[in-house]
Amino acid sequence: MTNKSGLLILMVTYVLFTPAFQCGDRYINECTTYKNDTAISNIQALNFPRILRVNDTLKLTSIISDTVHTISGTNYIPRNLTTSRYIQFQVYKVVMVNGNPVLNFANIEFNPLVTEGSFPNYGGGGIFTLYSRVAPYNRLAISLVSGQPGLYLLTAVSSGNNYGYSANPAEPCTNYQDLHFFPVPQQQKQYWDTLAVTKLRLNGSNDYVVKSKEDPDYMFFRINP
């Protein structure tokens, strides 16, 4: 091997294995520990606290900006914005079993109507809806038409392709969970006192806890006859 060939091999090796020459986001491999934070997405009932009866409508709206606001007070625009945000609602009915309040799935007791946003062509559990997007906002307006009386718990289960999966360029070692926060008055937490519990479990699920009193992503509402 000539000296020139050896020098060429050495230079190629240096370029390939020296970090300064490697492309991409190197910070992914540099995080030895991660912090956790929560991105706040807001949702509210427009006709709260109106008394609802069978065949009345619970109207919900959610407007989410591209700027993420977190519990820790951090504000940022995600590295990878998406045009396909969704939210998955679950409605549960509070029933008594052996003297204890538990939850039954109750989506079938409501007729969902989307006036801003859409229902996707692909399936999903619960009431699955897509936001409409006009940058820099994602908007959803959905109505739930009631069919049966009772006490119900509405949860915003998840928001797909969400800020929780998008990196904050300034804090690459922080994980962001995305939760939909209902206004505290609309959560109607007084029902926990009425039910004399602080957690509600799914009926027949081997003690699976659906929601706890301190969670932000639910609301109680009652449908009267």
Side-chain angles (χ1 to χ4, degrees):
M1 180 183 295
T2 66
N3 290 337
K4 289 184 177 180
S5 298
L7 180 61
L8 179 60
I9 293 173
L10 180 62
M11 291 180 63
V12 171
T13 302
Y14 182 78
V15 168
L16 289 176
F17 293 100
T18 301
F21 289 94
Q22 296 182 35
C23 299
D25 295 325
R26 292 171 49 237
Y27 65 77
I28 294 176
N29 295 322
E30 293 180 355
C31 296
T32 56
T33 60
Y34 286 87
K35 295 188 299 182
N36 295 310
D37 202 349
T38 299
I40 301 171
S41 295
N42 291 313
I43 186 168
Q44 62 178 324
L46 293 179
N47 53 342
F48 180 87
R50 174 187 166 191
I51 296 175
L52 298 175
R53 300 187 181 278
V54 173
N55 295 324
D56 281 347
T57 300
L58 177 67
K59 297 180 179 179
L60 303 165
T61 185
S62 177
I63 301 174
I64 302 173
S65 169
D66 284 344
T67 301
V68 177
H69 305 277
T70 75
I71 286 181
S72 69
T74 300
N75 300 324
Y76 73 97
I77 296 178
R79 181 179 298 273
N80 299 312
L81 291 175
T82 177
T83 59
S84 57
R85 286 184 64 96
Y86 67 78
I87 184 170
Q88 185 181 5
F89 295 101
Q90 286 281 5
V91 187
Y92 301 90
K93 191 171 190 175
V94 181
V95 298
M96 301 300 293
V97 175
N98 297 325
N100 298 311
V102 293
L103 299 175
N104 283 340
F105 287 111
N107 296 318
I108 197 172
E109 297 184 18
F110 292 84
N111 182 26
L113 303 171
V114 173
T115 54
E116 190 168 13
S118 64
F119 293 110
N121 293 325
Y122 46 91
I127 302 170
F128 199 77
T129 57
L130 289 173
Y131 283 77
S132 65
R133 177 171 172 80
V134 178
Y137 296 103
N138 301 278
R139 298 174 180 270
L140 179 71
I142 181 173
S143 299
L144 301 178
V145 182
S146 61
Q148 298 289 332
L151 176 62
Y152 294 91
L153 180 78
L154 172 69
T155 69
V157 175
S158 63
S159 182
N161 287 336
N162 57 30
Y163 297 139
Y165 298 116
S166 298
N168 177 356
E171 297 186 17
C173 296
T174 300
N175 293 318
Y176 293 91
Q177 179 186 19
D178 187 15
L179 287 182
H180 283 75
F181 282 57
F182 286 85
V184 172
Q186 293 190 2
Q187 289 191 270
Q188 300 203 86
K189 291 188 176 185
Q190 71 272 12
Y191 279 111
W192 292 105
D193 298 329
T194 302
L195 298 170
V197 295
T198 58
K199 298 180 185 296
L200 280 170
R201 293 170 168 81
L202 187 62
N203 187 20
S205 67
N206 195 25
D207 275 351
Y208 171 71
V209 175
V210 174
K211 283 297 159 199
S212 300
K213 183 177 181 179
E214 66 271 14
D215 294 336
D217 54 342
Y218 72 86
M219 67 174 290
F220 285 104
F221 64 99
R222 181 176 291 281
I223 303 296
N224 294 321

